Amino acid sequence: MRPRDAHGDAHGDEPGPSPGPAGEAGTCATPADGTGPLASPGHGPRRPEPRRRADRERGRGRIADVIAAGVRGAGPAEIPGRLCTAAVELLPVAGASVSLRSNAMPVQLGSSSDRAARLSDLQATLGDGPCTAAAAAGAAVFATDLTCDPDLVRWPVFAQQATAAGIRAVYSMPLGDDTLCVGTLDLYREAPGELTRRELRVAELVARVMTVALMALPRGEENGPEGDAPWLSGLATAHDEVYQAVGMIMVQLGVGSDEALARLRAHAFAHGRSALEVAHDVVRHRKRFDRD
């Protein structure tokens, strides 16, 4: 999948596509880190074409080396997190996480750090943020400055929590193909600004590798009795608790499923917990929702 590009083709290290109203956000001002808009894409000397091709080949070789080194010797449960770490090494970002798409909420598979994991959990708990928007649209969503419009207006709670954690920009890349989005790769940066064209190509490549890796990971019985733990099945089982909890809350409050899920999420956010943690307590009868 490719991000929606409102400006068509561009050159070299020009910033990536400026998001349009369909799902991607712009930036308040040209960032100080040099990733913002250039004065003119045609200014400055251009390398001879053979040299540019050689540079691209070296770049692709380094990307392949970093990814290969990152996943070498990793078991199935480690691969998503290892690829997130590789993304951080290859791109000017401070963290990365990967989540599978689900009808209720995203299922986090791995992250490069505890901070990235918390931001992924936060979006799942809120049901809002660049991650959920990218999964719903099946297209890349870029929040290039969470401290001002339009990102702050679109995701006010997530933006406040993310900036409090030191993150100013989020780039969410869809995983899958042009017909199906199976999840997202979410990149977190401490400085505001857009990705350059080259950085965007790297992010897209990592997302493609992540998609292939997720499709190849064993599920449940595929591991066999001597194989790795059925970790994807375990994640699905844990996530099923959300559906069970929603059903129990529907009965307890006499509300529909959407309202029950909203109450679950609101309670989790208000108490600084993830929605999965609260759902676990509901299913284990440690938490009951009472009518007002």
Side-chain angles (χ1 to χ4, degrees):
M1 297 181 182
R2 297 186 60 81
R4 297 167 185 165
D5 189 343
H7 301 292
D9 295 333
H11 301 279
D13 285 333
E14 232 183 306
S18 255
E24 297 147 326
T27 183
C28 295
T30 301
D33 62 357
T35 59
L38 302 179
S40 171
H43 288 183
R46 296 176 65 85
R47 292 188 182 95
E49 185 58 33
R51 183 176 175 185
R52 293 170 63 198
R53 280 199 297 268
D55 288 346
R56 285 196 294 267
E57 288 299 324
R58 281 193 295 271
R60 283 193 288 265
R62 177 175 179 269
I63 293 169
D65 289 344
V66 170
I67 292 175
V71 300
R72 188 173 296 123
E78 299 175 295
I79 288 176
R82 294 278 193 93
L83 287 174
C84 287
T85 300
V88 173
E89 183 175 346
L90 292 167
L91 292 162
V93 297
S97 63
V98 59
S99 299
L100 281 181
R101 186 181 183 186
S102 169
N103 290 333
M105 64 182 63
V107 181
Q108 185 187 143
L109 296 182
S111 65
S112 64
S113 64
D114 290 340
R115 179 169 62 168
R118 288 195 301 272
L119 291 170
S120 177
D121 281 340
L122 175 63
Q123 293 183 83
T125 296
L126 293 173
D128 198 24
C131 165
T132 55
V141 173
F142 303 146
T144 55
D145 194 339
L146 291 167
T147 65
C148 63
D149 296 348
D151 303 329
L152 179 59
V153 171
R154 185 174 185 186
W155 303 293
V157 179
F158 172 74
Q160 188 274 328
Q161 295 289 312
T163 54
I167 294 300
R168 291 280 300 275
V170 179
Y171 316 104
S172 292
M173 310 295 298
L175 306 178
D177 56 29
D178 291 335
T179 61
L180 178 66
C181 176
V182 299
T184 59
L185 170 65
D186 305 303
L187 307 168
Y188 309 98
R189 191 162 78 170
E190 294 175 344
E194 301 175 359
L195 295 175
T196 66
R197 287 281 174 180
R198 179 173 294 138
E199 292 162 355
L200 179 57
R201 287 195 294 269
V202 173
E204 289 173 337
L205 176 59
V206 175
R208 288 196 294 271
V209 172
M210 188 76 77
T211 298
V212 172
L214 293 182
M215 296 301 100
L217 290 175
R219 289 172 168 78
E221 66 278 358
E222 295 178 16
N223 296 302
E226 303 300 326
D228 296 300
W231 69 283
L232 277 179
S233 295
L235 283 173
T237 299
H239 205 65
D240 284 345
E241 289 189 335
V242 174
Y243 294 98
Q244 297 175 42
V246 166
M248 294 172 68
I249 296 170
M250 289 170 64
V251 173
Q252 292 168 6
L253 300 180
V255 298
S257 60
D258 289 345
E259 174 65 17
L261 180 57
R263 293 288 291 269
L264 172 68
R265 281 174 157 154
H267 180 86
F269 179 73
H271 291 81
R273 307 181 69 198
S274 73
L276 288 174
E277 290 172 336
V278 175
H280 183 76
D281 285 351
V282 171
V283 172
R284 296 295 183 275
H285 300 285
R286 292 197 291 262
K287 167 63 184 173
R288 178 181 175 84
F289 284 76
D290 297 318
R291 301 190 188 195
D292 296 331

